[in-house]
Structures are given as structure tokens and as C-alpha cells.
Amino acid sequence: TLQALAFLAYEKEHGNKIPSLIVVPTSLVFNWVAEVEKFTPGLKTHVHHGMLRNRDAAFMKNGCDLIITTYGTLRNDIEIFEKEKFYYVVLDESQQIKNPLSKNAKSAFSLKSKYRLALSGTPIENNSLELWSQFAFLNPGLLGNMDHFRETFANSIDKNKDTNKMASLKNVIDPFMLRRKKESVAKDLPEKQVTVIYCDMEPDQRKIYDFWKNRFRDEIQDSIKEHGLFKSKMKILQGLMKLRQICNHPALIDESYAGESGKFSVLINQIEETLSEGHKVLIFSSFVKMLTVFRKYFDEKGMRYSYLDGSTTKRKEVVEEFQRDSKIQIFLISLKAGGLGLNLTAADYVFVVDPWWNPAAEMQAIDRTHRIGQTKNVFVYKTITKDSVEEKILELQESKMNLVKNVVVANEGIFKKLTKETIDRMFA
């Protein structure tokens, strides 16, 4: 992402005035926006996504440098996009067009641009035809038509593992690929890298969240009017806790919920990609029920894992098994139980499912891997649900308002520092 943005910023500085289109999975929209704001704020950006988006082409003419949209929105609004000519079209997670007959792929193929760029950590997930589809977008004709590719490469490679054909295909595509693994650039990275991943809620999840948010907001306002702010603290805590749970997965408050969770989907994709590269991962959540959701998923997939929460009695044995057994790549840990006293240097990836009230406690948990004996770089991913109480907790942490201490600590003097304005922001 950063390389692509740096290059587009360079092109603008050298005279390009044509907007570029960036197409991303829904879960990555806000990550791109955050990276633009952080690293290339000089690039004027328009996000074309969501129910309230402008469905005519006026936004194309507003002088922006980047237009960010999703694969789904591109499909639905293709009549707008296919009429325009962009400078670059960038496909992030370009395996989204791996099926050349899909609407995603056909929409991408129909776009007009001077240049094209595809970003993917997994350009081939199942078979070599997926690579053909992405190159049909990048360099149409380079690999011939679909039938030619099947006859020349795909059948021999996918069925017979023909190494000569693999080498021939590699020679054709190599000049058009830049490939770097994290391990190969370790010297360029800090020893501990923390990344925030923003997630969108699924539509059903959003409905549940908005219902409870509105209900608690009204109840809290009534309680503050009647009893005052301090005496309303339990109602405030109850509301914040329930909203945080819904951000993770509505199943945490309703076991009959059969829908999806945006955050869970993003995490599973990221975790499985990390596992496929041979890494060991720690998954922290402050909710045991959320760990149960993960356990159910991994059990159904037949994936081994270690588990630790406050009820675990043989902590030492559980830790030693994870550290020693190369076949156990996953360690599910409740944040409270795993924050102290553990040395888990076998893991080099950490996923923090939900923002912890106390950032210091969060870092203590993260540092279970970042200890003496760790020989690898540590990569930490914190997932935040966009447009939710989680995002506001993160904002308050970053602005040093110490919401955690103000709300959670049962101390009247500290709790009085929490203002009604802060509460209104949390439930807005």
C-alpha cells in the first residue's frame, strides 16, 4: 500500500493530473484512507462507497487524485466507471478477480486506464488460471486467451506439476512482478510493528449495533438527568460492553445469530494467510465468548490450537506445548489471563481482536512474544470496527483522554473526570 501511494504521489509531483482508481475489498477501504492521511496527505482522495454514495459521475470531476471504491461498488456502478479513463487502476487483493468469468473480473477488465497495477499476497490460491485472470487485467494478451493458456500451461501445471511449464510461465511473468517477503526486508522494519486494521460491519451486524446503541443512548441520557453522571456509571459500562461485543460478533450477545461479522471475516482471512506462511500466532480477546467463536471455527476446520483463559489451571503445560509443538500454530488467549507472566517467543504474529480499555495492559499482552529469546520481527495487528464505539475508544486513547481509567476504575475522583460530552461522543 505504501509503495503504491508513494509512487502515485511521485507521479503527481511530476505533473500527472489524471485521477487514479483504487479498488479494494470492503474491509480495506478505511485502511487505505488512513494510509493516505498518514503518508501522502497531499493526495486528494474521494471514497465512492456506501449506501449514501453519489450515483452520478460528478465526483469524477472534483479534482481528486485518488478514487477509492470496492469490488462490489465497482460491479454495481460499472456504467459510471467504464466511461472514464484513469491514470492508474490499482486492484488491491487482486485475487478478488481470480475467476475470469466473475462479475468482479469482467468489471475490472472493462476499465480504461493508462497504466494498471495489481497488489496481492496470494495471486494463486487454487490453480494457475487465477494468475491468468489477473494478467488478463494487467497485460491483456500476454498469456494468450483462456483456452490457449489452459492448453499451454494450466493443464500441465495444475494436473501434472510440470516443472518445465512452471519455469516457462515464470519467465514470461517475471518482468512484470515485484515480490518481497517480510522476512527478506526484515532489516528495513522495526523489531515490533503495530498495524491497525479497520473493519466494516456486515449489514445485519450494523442493524443490531444501531438498535442497541440508540437504546443505551436514550437510557443513559435519562439516567444522567435523573441520577447524575457518577451514579449512571454501571449503565454506561453496560452499554459500552455490549456495543464492544457486537463489534466483535453479534453471536456474543445472541447465540442464535446466524449472520456474519465483518471483523471476524477480516481476522480469519489475515490469520489463515499468516498460518499458510508457517508463522505461529497469538490471538487475544478480552471476551472469552469471542475466543469460543474462534474455537468453534478452528474445530470445524480440524486445526489444532492452544487455549488459555482465567479458568485454565495448567498454564505452564499449555504454554510449553505451544512453544514446543510445531504443529500447533495458534494460541487463543484471554487478554486478562495472558497479559502477564507468559513467554511466548515461538509466535511472531499477534492479533488483538478488540481494543482493551487500558492500552498498557494491551501492550503487556502483545509483549508476550517480544521478549528475550525472540529472534524474529514481531508483527501486531489490532482490529477496529469502523464507525463504532471501538473507533472512538481508539481516538480517545490517542488523544490521551484515558477513557479507561475514567470509566472502569471504581474511584469517584477519577470517574468524575468523565464528561457528558465524552459519553455523548461514545454513543453518537
Side-chain angles (χ1 to χ4, degrees):
T1 305
L2 181 53
Q3 282 182 296
L5 289 175
F7 175 70
L8 292 172
Y10 173 89
E11 292 292 280
K12 180 182 179 180
E13 290 170 2
H14 287 74
N16 173 57
K17 296 181 180 179
I18 306 171
S20 293
L21 177 66
I22 299 175
V23 188
V24 306
T26 302
S27 60
L28 295 183
V29 170
F30 300 109
N31 294 75
W32 273 86
V33 172
E35 297 290 77
V36 171
E37 291 174 351
K38 183 175 182 180
F39 294 111
T40 56
L43 293 176
K44 184 179 178 183
T45 304
H46 173 81
V47 175
H48 183 73
H49 172 60
M51 296 298 292
L52 300 179
R53 67 184 183 274
N54 189 343
R55 294 177 187 270
D56 61 37
F59 66 90
M60 300 281 191
K61 313 299 182 185
N62 66 0
C64 61
D65 303 302
L66 305 179
I67 297 167
I68 300 176
T69 193
T70 67
Y71 287 94
T73 305
L74 177 66
R75 290 196 312 267
N76 294 334
D77 294 358
I78 191 60
E79 71 281 354
I80 297 175
F81 289 103
E82 64 185 359
K83 293 175 183 176
E84 303 295 323
K85 183 167 183 180
F86 301 97
Y87 187 61
Y88 259 86
V89 171
V90 180
L91 301 187
D92 192 16
E93 301 293 349
S94 59
Q95 69 273 14
Q96 299 277 335
I97 66 163
K98 64 185 180 183
N99 177 358
L101 303 179
S102 67
K103 290 182 179 179
N104 273 359
K106 290 177 179 178
S107 299
F109 295 158
S110 70
L111 297 171
K112 304 180 187 72
S113 63
K114 190 171 183 179
Y115 304 109
R116 296 184 172 196
L117 177 65
L119 309 176
S120 175
T122 51
I124 301 177
E125 293 182 325
N126 301 299
N127 57 68
S128 56
L129 189 62
E130 298 171 356
L131 188 68
W132 179 89
S133 185
Q134 291 164 82
F135 269 89
F137 162 78
L138 286 169
N139 288 320
L142 179 71
L143 300 179
N145 63 32
M146 198 187 310
D147 290 336
H148 170 80
F149 182 80
R150 279 200 180 101
E151 293 172 9
T152 307
F153 294 108
N155 291 337
S156 300
I157 291 173
D158 297 335
K159 293 179 182 177
N160 304 321
K161 312 299 180 189
D162 188 321
T163 54
N164 290 328
K165 291 292 186 181
M166 289 181 191
S168 297
L169 178 58
K170 185 176 185 297
N171 287 336
V172 175
I173 65 174
D174 256 4
F176 304 98
M177 294 184 71
L178 173 65
R179 185 168 185 262
R180 301 198 309 168
K181 288 186 174 182
K182 288 188 178 79
E183 291 84 350
S184 67
V185 293
K187 61 183 182 295
D188 299 329
L189 297 173
E191 60 180 10
K192 180 172 66 179
Q193 181 173 315
V194 181
T195 302
V196 175
I197 300 178
Y198 289 96
C199 314
D200 256 343
M201 291 190 206
E202 293 293 329
D204 288 343
Q205 183 181 12
R206 172 61 68 183
K207 289 178 184 176
I208 295 170
Y209 180 90
D210 286 343
F211 168 82
W212 283 105
K213 179 188 72 173
N214 294 334
R215 176 171 168 174
F216 275 110
R217 182 182 59 220
D218 294 341
E219 291 180 1
I220 289 168
Q221 287 175 348
D222 291 342
S223 178
I224 292 174
K225 287 178 184 176
E226 186 174 347
H227 306 293
L229 181 60
F230 181 72
K231 290 185 178 179
S232 303
K233 71 174 184 177
M234 291 311 298
K235 175 62 70 175
I236 296 168
L237 284 172
Q238 182 186 2
L240 293 175
M241 189 70 71
K242 180 156 284 192
L243 294 183
R244 289 176 67 215
Q245 289 176 313
I246 298 169
C247 288
N248 278 0
H249 202 304
L252 272 63
I253 67 161
D254 180 5
E255 293 181 359
S256 66
Y257 178 79
E260 300 290 329
S261 158
K263 177 184 286 193
F264 184 71
S265 299
V266 168
L267 276 166
I268 285 296
N269 289 337
Q270 190 80 34
I271 289 166
E272 289 187 337
E273 181 179 338
T274 303
L275 296 175
S276 71
E277 296 171 355
H279 299 282
K280 284 200 170 199
V281 305
L282 308 183
I283 304 172
F284 282 102
S285 176
S286 44
F287 300 106
V288 171
K289 284 186 177 180
M290 189 62 189
L291 298 179
T292 302
V293 172
F294 279 103
R295 293 180 78 175
K296 181 180 178 183
Y297 179 87
F298 294 139
D299 286 340
E300 290 173 353
K301 292 282 186 177
M303 301 166 70
R304 292 181 64 192
Y305 57 84
S306 297
Y307 180 85
L308 176 70
D309 68 18
S311 65
T312 304
T313 54
K314 298 182 179 180
R315 288 167 58 100
K316 182 180 178 182
E317 289 84 346
V318 172
V319 169
E320 287 179 350
E321 182 182 45
F322 176 78
Q323 288 282 96
R324 184 179 62 249
D325 193 338
S326 61
K327 293 181 180 178
I328 302 178
Q329 291 179 263
I330 305 163
F331 202 153
L332 294 164
I333 312 174
S334 70
L335 203 57
K336 191 172 183 180
L340 293 171
L342 300 180
N343 190 332
L344 297 168
T345 52
D348 55 340
Y349 279 71
V350 181
F351 294 88
V352 180
V353 178
D354 33 72
W356 184 234
W357 295 114
N358 187 342
E362 194 175 85
M363 292 312 298
Q364 284 176 334
I366 290 169
D367 282 344
R368 297 311 92 206
T369 67
H370 196 234
R371 300 171 69 81
I372 298 298
Q374 178 59 270
T375 58
K376 300 179 287 290
N377 289 288
V378 174
F379 298 92
V380 180
Y381 294 92
K382 296 170 58 174
T383 48
I384 300 292
T385 301
K386 190 68 180 173
D387 296 324
S388 78
V389 66
E390 288 188 339
E391 193 175 32
K392 288 159 187 168
I393 290 172
L394 190 66
E395 290 172 359
L396 290 165
Q397 287 179 354
E398 291 175 347
S399 63
K400 300 180 181 179
M401 292 179 69
N402 294 320
L403 174 72
V404 179
K405 296 177 183 176
N406 291 342
V407 175
V408 177
V409 178
N411 178 298
E412 183 172 348
I414 293 175
F415 193 82
K416 280 183 176 177
K417 296 177 185 177
L418 184 63
T419 65
K420 186 176 183 301
E421 289 71 26
T422 304
I423 295 299
D424 290 341
R425 278 186 66 196
M426 300 295 286
F427 290 90

